[in-house]
Amino acid sequence: MWPTTVMEILFAGGMLSLVVDAFGGASDFVKRYGAAIVGALAILFSLAVLASDWAASLGSIVILQPVSAPFASLYIADKFTTFTAFTALVVGLAVLVYSVLYFDSGRRGPFFALFTILMCSLVGVVSAGDLLTLFLFWEGMTISAYGLVTFGRSQLSLEAGIKYFLMAGIGSLLALYGIAAIYFTSGSIQLSAIGAALGTGFGELGFVVLILGLGVEAAIVPLHTWLPDVYSASSIPSASVISGAVTGVGVFALLKVLQPLVPGGGFGAIVATTGGPSNLQLVIVVLALLTMLVGNLSALVQGNLRRILSFSSIAQTGYMLAALSTLTLAGLVAVVFTIWNHGLLKSNFFMVLGKNSASMESSQLESLRGAGRGNRKLGFLYASSSMAMMGAPPFGMFWSEILVVQSLLIAGHASGVVFYVLAAAVVLNIVLSIGYYFKIINTVVFGEARGETDDRKLGDLLPPASLLAISVLTGIAPFLILGNVL
Amino acid sequence: MVAALYGALTFGSGATEGYTLWFPALSVTLQVKVDQLSVLVGAFVSFVSFLVVVYSLGYMKEEPGQSRYYSLVLLFVGSMMGLVMAGNLIQFYFFWELVGVCSALLIAFWTDRPAARKAGLKAFVVTRLGDASLLIAVIFVAAVLGTTSFDTILGPSGIATLGTGTIFALGLLMFVGSMGKSAQVPLHGWLPDAMEGPNTVSALIHAATMVNAGVYLMLRMYPVITLPQLSGSLTNIILAIGLLSALVGGACAIAADDLKRVLAYSTISQLGLMFAAIGLGSLTAAAYQMISQGLFKALAFLAAGSVITALGTRSINEMGGLARAMKYTYVGFVVAMLGMCGLPPLVGFWSKDAILSAALGTWAPFSLLLCSFALTALYSFRALFRVFHGQSNTAKTPKESPPTMIIPIVILAASVLVGWAILQPQPLLSTTSWIPDASTLTASLTVLALCAGLAYLVFLPNYRKVLGAVQSSGALSGLQGMLHDGFYFDRLYVWLYSGIVRPISTAVSYIQTGLIEANMGLLLLAAAVLFALFALGVL
């Protein structure tokens, strides 16, 4: 099945990129494009393997154990992991192609190697079948992402990278504590068996602490403070892949931990006999509320476009967390579909921002004023990206928001008023978000142009435009993307 | 347009066609619903859209961004048709949102004007507040009933099977959604500002089509909002809001100096009458008023556009005496105003008479409706006299508009004059009586005559004296100021944002200190709180 094969391809691709970069010889073409081509081929082959296993992965959960030994890694192939891995790879491919155009000087081989290893780690996190495997790939993902954040070696990116590393480090410690508590109470680290830990107070604490630890990467409030700095200070390709893939996989890790508790989630969980939400659910509800409110309210007063996008990502995490709090199959579907839409659109947005907004000063809204007016294609992309993130049709995010609210209303109907309140909060937050997205349109697209025109050609805009087009396809013909997946 | 009109005229019986499974996760099938309501409204939308696009050929000739304009207009028309023909609530909502997006972008069409950009944002935000309410209702129906197909949810095994409180909540949520799109108090403030957009946009979207979408939703959901178990609780609310909007809109229209804002407030008022009709239990009257208001309001806007293009101003204080120089425009405007006032036998008369007849036997709604008709006559004749009669207040020499702008005006004028002959036999409207009730006829004509006479006296020969008297009286000038400012609703919205939302946003943003110590402290604090809650047995 695809998990192990894909990871092998990507890992090999990452290593080969380094080799090509180091031993590429005097050829300028190899030095410039060699590592990128290897990385792109690795991702393309991975997508091909995923496609060949697609149908088999959509049935009941397949648990793989490549090596038969105690504590040997387990991997899972089901519709959620398959679709999320697909999301990460599609976003990764678009960002990688964009990176080739972005880096026009300097040594870039290590970047593409790190990028491909990051993809491998993301697939590992997505397909992990036990908590230790999840944790190992989680660390791999964090380290790769750290390398990408600090790649430019500017003062700001190093500072952002350190903040990220420290926060993620504490998160990892908390996650390890949670894993230990769950193992202590359930006797297992396999995802199929950890549900038993919920029967005890210590086990429940373990779940909560694990969610908190993993929540750093997903940028749950109050663990989110690293994200605006990282998004602001990283290079555009790094910010694109972190916002589009890493944050989404971070949320998916939370889904993995909670999936065994969901009736119909594939692990045989049963419906709880008590009517109201459990303590675990209440904690997640509170975190979801905080996350979406802090995300949207903070974004409203930002003057820097990158920081607006970072807080917007935090808000989106809040919506996904709200869907997860329901512990329903509808909630899982909502999260996975939102990861897809958010991944496409957020990556796209950063690529639209482009190199001209590489510094903090140049990504200020006032510096970008009228950028869309001088370059019509760019203006169209800015406007479309903003409308798409708002959840306006015909973009795919429209359906994500419906699915999130639907899962909350289903849960509310079954479990009480808490989820109705959360549904209302999600909807009101979506309305709040219009404030800052329209500010982007008003300033960047409609504002009077100042300074030089952003003269990017169509070729530079093709990677983000392709992600936007996929989002339109998702919105107009969701059955083509979802089909029999979700 | 031809196909739609042919379909409307030869319509036999209704059907809902399903095509493909559109959104599998919600079991939503792409459906087209063809019934009396969708065919009538669809034909009307395509008729008005066609005329407005023809008008645009002349009106927008010199404007830059034409490809953007026409693509947005056509996307809008397509979305509006999709909304009207939708066979289920989710599909309906998809096109409902798309219509709102197109509207906001078209309002902000002249992107170099800050007022236009601000108006586009305001329209989007306010209508989205209503949309949020509708979204919850739509998804709730999907979640609980497992389907949103109109054939099912409006039938005996649909929403009617839910508890009374649930049905009321659903209906109310949907009505709030309607209020946003159809600019009803207190979600009406976006419509007057939307006049910053091109005139064709105002005529098409903000007079004849999009603003009717809310009414259309209520007409579509009529079997639910009139369920016996609700005992009229919901329809009473709809009636109250409708009457309030009719009066607020009418009062503000009298004080507005911008010709387009007069028509915008008038639209709010006329839409209020539609909701009042629904509240009074007359689906026919509401549907008739929807079509007739669309016709005479679109006509009014196109005629106003002709004037504004000729003079380069929207202020009625800089107009006057245009009747001779712009004959066709003048005739079109007169027909529009008379249609709006309900002069028989114009199309507006029949719809207004149907609404008034629905209120027969009630004291308060009947009286308030008459007050609204009075206000309608006052602001209509005010606009007519100030723009086309009296002395000219412009230095420009106005010329009549080109044929591409005049022909649609003439066609719409003809439809207002004789459209009742085609509309009345339509299945949905055929219960409207050809012979009006004597009491309603007497009441409406008396109000019309009195107010027309009063408007003549106040706004023509004695205008300066009246203006002087108002300005020298503290109470009257205060009242004028309040009406001019739309009863200060805008100030309330601004206060809500800058007084509540913005300070909270600023306070929340202080969490982001940028200091690593603070970041880690926050994380550890969160962990400590959780541990403590578990240790104390709270969780």
Side-chain angles (χ1 to χ4, degrees):
Chain A
M1 290 291 275
W2 63 266
T4 46
T5 313
V6 164
M7 282 190 286
E8 283 163 5
I9 292 172
L10 289 168
F11 185 78
M15 294 296 108
L16 195 56
S17 294
L18 273 177
V19 168
V20 164
D21 180 66
F23 300 106
S27 166
D28 200 48
F29 180 85
V30 172
K31 275 196 193 135
R32 210 175 148 82
Y33 300 116
I37 291 173
V38 170
L41 284 174
I43 295 177
L44 278 169
F45 279 134
S46 303
L47 281 167
V49 168
L50 197 65
S52 67
D53 265 348
W54 191 269
S57 309
L58 301 183
S60 42
I61 289 181
V62 176
I63 299 179
L64 309 159
Q65 190 172 22
V67 175
S68 283
F71 295 106
S73 288
L74 290 180
Y75 300 96
I76 283 175
D78 70 354
K79 55 185 178 183
F80 299 127
T81 58
T82 306
F83 195 68
T84 309
F86 178 69
T87 303
L89 290 172
V90 165
V91 169
L93 184 63
V95 174
L96 191 143
V97 169
Y98 177 82
S99 308
V100 173
L101 305 164
Y102 184 85
F103 293 116
D104 52 16
S105 63
R107 195 167 163 222
R108 62 208 79 174
F111 176 88
F112 292 113
L114 266 174
F115 193 96
T116 316
I117 299 291
L118 173 68
M119 288 290 120
C120 174
S121 306
L122 290 175
V123 171
V125 168
V126 164
S127 59
D130 64 82
L131 292 176
L132 267 184
T133 307
L134 174 69
F135 183 79
L136 281 169
F137 282 107
W138 185 264
E139 291 295 289
M141 179 181 78
T142 308
I143 291 168
S144 312
Y146 170 72
L148 291 176
V149 168
T150 55
F151 188 73
R153 282 190 255 169
S154 68
Q155 176 75 17
L156 271 176
S157 68
L158 286 172
E159 185 186 322
I162 288 173
K163 284 178 189 168
Y164 172 51
F165 197 66
L166 287 172
M167 295 285 288
I170 297 180
S172 298
L173 284 173
L174 288 172
L176 265 179
Y177 182 92
I179 291 171
I182 290 171
Y183 176 63
F184 181 76
T185 47
S186 70
S188 175
I189 54 168
Q190 294 182 16
L191 289 179
S192 55
I194 62 174
L198 258 194
T200 66
F202 190 55
E204 210 167 49
L205 175 67
F207 264 100
V208 170
V209 175
L210 177 59
I211 286 167
L212 210 59
L214 297 177
V216 173
E217 199 68 56
I220 298 176
V221 169
L223 319 164
H224 67 289
T225 45
W226 61 272
L227 192 134
D229 293 345
V230 163
Y231 277 30
S232 306
S234 312
S235 65
I236 291 291
S238 303
S240 292
V241 75
I242 289 172
S243 64
V246 174
T247 306
V249 168
V251 176
F252 189 79
L254 300 175
L255 182 150
K256 287 188 78 66
V257 165
L258 294 171
Q259 188 179 350
L261 312 175
V262 173
F267 288 102
I270 55 171
V271 180
T273 50
T274 56
S278 64
N279 286 339
L280 176 63
Q281 285 178 289
L282 286 174
V283 169
I284 302 174
V285 163
V286 170
L287 288 175
L289 262 174
L290 281 175
T291 305
M292 67 178 85
L293 279 171
V294 167
N296 282 313
L297 289 172
S298 300
L300 277 174
V301 292
Q302 299 300 317
N304 183 296
L305 183 43
R306 290 217 204 187
R307 289 182 90 80
I308 289 176
L309 295 178
S310 67
F311 283 110
S312 136
S313 288
I314 292 168
Q316 290 287 332
T317 297
Y319 305 151
M320 288 188 268
L321 211 53
L324 273 179
S325 72
T326 64
L327 293 185
T328 59
L329 189 58
L332 300 186
V333 171
V335 169
V336 170
F337 197 51
T338 307
I339 290 173
W340 163 258
N341 285 306
H342 179 255
L344 293 175
L345 293 172
K346 200 46 72 68
S347 289
N348 148 73
F349 220 132
F350 272 101
M351 290 191 274
V352 170
L353 256 175
K355 203 188 238 183
N356 291 344
S357 62
S359 70
M360 285 294 285
E361 292 78 30
S362 58
S363 57
Q364 291 289 117
L365 274 178
E366 281 307 311
S367 305
L368 294 166
R369 180 176 282 279
R373 195 187 273 278
N375 183 333
R376 276 201 192 161
K377 298 180 218 29
L378 193 62
F380 175 77
L381 283 176
Y382 267 116
S384 304
S385 303
S386 301
M387 300 301 279
M389 287 300 307
M390 269 191 248
F395 302 97
M397 192 66 90
F398 170 82
W399 296 109
S400 292
E401 291 171 351
I402 288 185
L403 283 177
V404 167
V405 177
Q406 186 217 20
S407 69
L408 288 165
L409 291 177
I410 289 174
H413 195 62
S415 304
V417 81
V418 164
F419 295 110
Y420 284 141
V421 170
L422 196 52
V426 167
V427 170
L428 283 172
N429 270 274
I430 291 169
V431 174
L432 265 181
S433 70
I434 298 172
Y436 51 85
Y437 286 123
F438 238 95
K439 189 160 71 168
I440 298 173
I441 297 177
N442 205 22
T443 312
V444 180
V445 182
F446 293 157
E448 293 78 30
R450 287 182 191 174
E452 294 171 12
T453 310
D454 187 331
D455 59 357
R456 268 180 284 172
K457 302 286 182 294
L458 184 61
D460 296 328
L461 299 172
L462 266 179
S466 61
L467 291 179
L468 202 62
I470 297 174
S471 179
V472 170
L473 189 63
T474 307
I476 294 175
F479 56 89
L480 284 180
I481 304 295
L482 295 175
N484 57 351
V485 177
L486 298 178
Chain B
M1 180 197 72
V2 170
L5 288 173
Y6 174 76
L9 290 170
T10 60
F11 179 71
S13 61
T16 303
E17 288 276 339
Y19 292 97
T20 182
L21 189 61
W22 193 28
F23 194 68
L26 288 170
S27 305
V28 177
T29 303
L30 206 58
Q31 289 177 304
V32 170
K33 186 166 183 65
V34 177
D35 65 359
Q36 296 172 8
L37 183 60
S38 63
V39 166
L40 184 65
V41 177
F44 163 72
V45 165
S46 46
F47 173 66
V48 173
S49 305
F50 169 72
L51 293 175
V52 168
V53 170
V54 169
Y55 183 97
S56 302
L57 295 173
Y59 182 78
M60 299 293 290
K61 201 168 65 165
E62 308 295 331
E63 298 290 337
Q66 298 219 2
S67 56
R68 178 165 54 100
Y69 170 80
Y70 284 107
S71 55
L72 280 171
V73 165
L74 291 173
L75 182 62
F76 169 81
V77 176
S79 305
M80 194 66 206
M81 294 298 279
L83 181 155
V84 165
M85 296 290 170
N88 59 72
L89 267 176
I90 289 185
Q91 193 176 324
F92 176 90
Y93 184 75
F94 180 91
F95 289 109
W96 174 279
E97 284 282 301
L98 204 44
V99 150
V101 166
C102 294
S103 164
L105 291 174
L106 282 166
I107 291 169
F109 177 74
W110 284 313
T111 57
D112 51 347
R113 297 183 197 177
R117 302 199 299 261
K118 197 172 154 195
L121 169 63
K122 188 173 175 182
F124 198 66
V125 171
V126 176
T127 55
R128 234 180 174 209
L129 278 171
D131 296 349
S133 172
L134 176 59
L135 176 66
I136 294 180
V138 167
I139 301 175
F140 188 86
V141 170
V144 169
L145 294 180
T147 178
T148 58
S149 173
F150 287 124
D151 288 345
T152 309
I153 65 174
L154 299 177
S157 59
I159 294 176
T161 59
L162 302 174
T164 305
T166 307
I167 299 173
F168 178 82
L170 279 176
L172 191 61
L173 285 168
M174 290 188 192
F175 177 54
V176 172
S178 298
M179 283 167 65
K181 259 314 181 270
S182 296
Q184 296 297 281
V185 174
L187 298 179
H188 65 292
W190 66 272
L191 189 54
D193 290 357
M195 299 300 109
E196 293 298 328
N199 222 63
T200 43
V201 169
S202 306
L204 173 63
I205 297 179
H206 305 127
T209 53
M210 186 185 98
V211 291
N212 286 335
V215 181
Y216 181 82
L217 174 62
M218 287 293 101
L219 292 175
R220 182 56 75 199
M221 299 305 297
Y222 192 77
V224 167
I225 61 177
T226 52
L227 280 170
Q229 54 264 53
L230 290 176
S231 308
S233 52
L234 197 50
T235 46
N236 285 342
I237 293 174
I238 296 173
L239 173 63
I241 297 289
L243 286 172
L244 178 65
S245 303
L247 294 170
V248 165
C252 293
I254 290 178
D257 290 329
D258 180 325
L259 179 56
K260 286 183 72 177
R261 284 181 88 91
V262 171
L263 297 179
Y265 280 118
S266 160
T267 302
I268 293 169
S269 181
Q270 299 299 309
L271 289 164
L273 292 178
M274 291 174 221
F275 285 105
I278 292 171
L280 289 165
S282 179
L283 181 149
T284 305
Y288 207 156
Q289 173 71 359
M290 183 170 66
I291 305 291
S292 62
Q293 120 83 17
L295 290 173
F296 56 64
K297 196 50 62 64
L299 172 59
F301 268 107
L302 296 190
S306 183
V307 169
I308 293 165
T309 305
L311 297 184
T313 179
R314 290 178 1 207
S315 171
I316 60 175
N317 296 326
E318 295 169 30
M319 296 177 183
L322 296 176
R324 280 203 189 152
M326 303 182 75
K327 289 193 179 64
Y328 290 102
T329 302
Y330 171 62
V331 168
F333 199 80
V334 167
V335 170
M337 294 301 109
L338 292 178
M340 192 149 59
C341 292
L343 183 75
L346 275 60
V347 73
F349 165 74
W350 303 100
S351 59
K352 289 197 143 86
D353 187 69
I355 299 173
L356 209 52
S357 299
L360 269 176
T362 67
W363 176 79
F366 191 89
S367 312
L368 291 173
L369 281 171
L370 283 179
C371 288
S372 167
F373 291 2
L375 290 172
T376 303
L378 281 172
Y379 65 68
S380 302
F381 283 101
R382 171 182 178 253
L384 181 65
F385 294 146
R386 297 292 323 278
V387 174
F388 290 99
H389 291 273
Q391 68 178 52
S392 169
N393 295 309
T394 175
K396 286 194 175 185
T397 311
K399 281 194 312 186
E400 188 59 277
S401 296
T404 47
M405 290 170 68
I406 294 301
I407 291 170
I409 290 175
V410 168
I411 295 174
L412 274 171
S415 67
V416 172
L417 283 166
V418 300
W420 50 271
I422 300 171
L423 287 172
Q424 212 121 322
Q426 294 303 309
L428 189 65
L429 308 178
S430 59
T431 53
T432 313
S433 175
W434 286 94
I435 303 170
D437 185 273
S439 50
T440 60
L441 180 65
T442 310
S444 60
L445 287 182
T446 306
V447 163
L448 174 57
L450 283 174
C451 291
L454 180 63
Y456 173 81
L457 288 171
V458 169
F459 297 114
L460 261 181
N462 304 304
Y463 180 63
R464 297 255 172 255
K465 277 189 227 164
V466 169
L467 190 64
V470 165
Q471 283 168 349
S472 58
S473 159
L476 286 177
S477 66
L479 175 65
Q480 186 193 31
M482 185 174 71
L483 294 179
H484 208 267
D485 213 348
F487 286 95
Y488 305 130
F489 275 100
D490 263 3
R491 293 195 195 186
L492 175 65
Y493 301 147
V494 169
W495 174 80
L496 278 171
Y497 179 72
S498 56
I500 297 179
V501 175
R502 197 158 177 97
I504 295 176
S505 294
T506 309
V508 164
S509 69
Y510 289 145
I511 297 174
Q512 196 69 28
T513 59
L515 300 170
I516 186 63
E517 299 88 348
N519 295 352
M520 290 170 64
L522 206 53
L523 192 162
L524 292 170
L525 179 65
V529 165
L530 274 169
F531 274 107
L533 287 172
F534 271 90
L536 292 170
V538 175
L539 288 177

